[in-house]
Amino acid sequence: PDPQSNITKPHQCLKILYEDIGDSRVRFWDILLLVPNVAFFIFLMWKLPSARAKIRLTSSPIFITFYLLVFVVAAVGITRAIVSMTVSASSAATIIDKVLWEITRFFLLAIELSVVILGLAFG
């Protein structure tokens, strides 16, 4: 096999990252990320009244922090997908997309750290 062939022609599995849906300039990958994020955000909103009641009963900073961070991650994931779909034609879209991915990764790390640190601190 020619080692240069993968540079000019991406593998079949990578096409999902770069292929557009018809002529819409919306990538399959953006839709595959948007749908679960929206479904999860709707689930969070649906469970918000019961979650607020549980948080009020326990008054634990662990649950408050965790729930807020999960909300932020879902909102940033939706925002990243929408921004990526709307401005995919420009070069600024790549920078914005990378920044939003880094924000998402930061909040996911913050969730992990808050669970560990607050769990150890408050038992």
Side-chain angles (χ1 to χ4, degrees), residues 40-55 60-74 111 114-115 118:
F40 184 62
F41 194 77
I42 289 171
F43 173 76
L44 286 176
M45 293 301 289
W46 178 50
K47 288 292 191 176
L48 183 62
S50 65
R52 287 178 63 193
K54 288 179 185 176
I55 288 172
S60 172
I62 297 172
F63 294 121
I64 295 169
T65 305
F66 185 72
Y67 208 77
L68 286 175
L69 288 173
V70 169
F71 253 106
V72 169
V73 167
I111 288 172
S114 69
V115 168
L118 294 174

Side-chain angles (χ1 to χ4, degrees), residues 16-17 19-21 25-37 77 80-86 88 97 101:
I16 197 166
L17 294 173
E19 293 263 332
D20 294 338
I21 300 173
R25 300 191 78 133
V26 174
R27 295 179 298 193
F28 286 108
W29 179 248
D30 295 328
I31 296 295
L32 287 175
L33 289 177
L34 179 65
V35 171
N37 277 316
R80 193 221 58 82
I82 291 171
V83 166
S84 182
M85 287 188 293
T86 55
S88 64
D97 195 39
W101 270 112

Side-chain angles (χ1 to χ4, degrees), residues 96-108:
I96 294 169
D97 195 39
K98 287 181 181 180
V99 167
L100 287 172
W101 270 112
E102 291 301 320
I103 290 171
T104 303
R105 289 176 60 195
F106 168 76
F107 279 107
L108 287 172

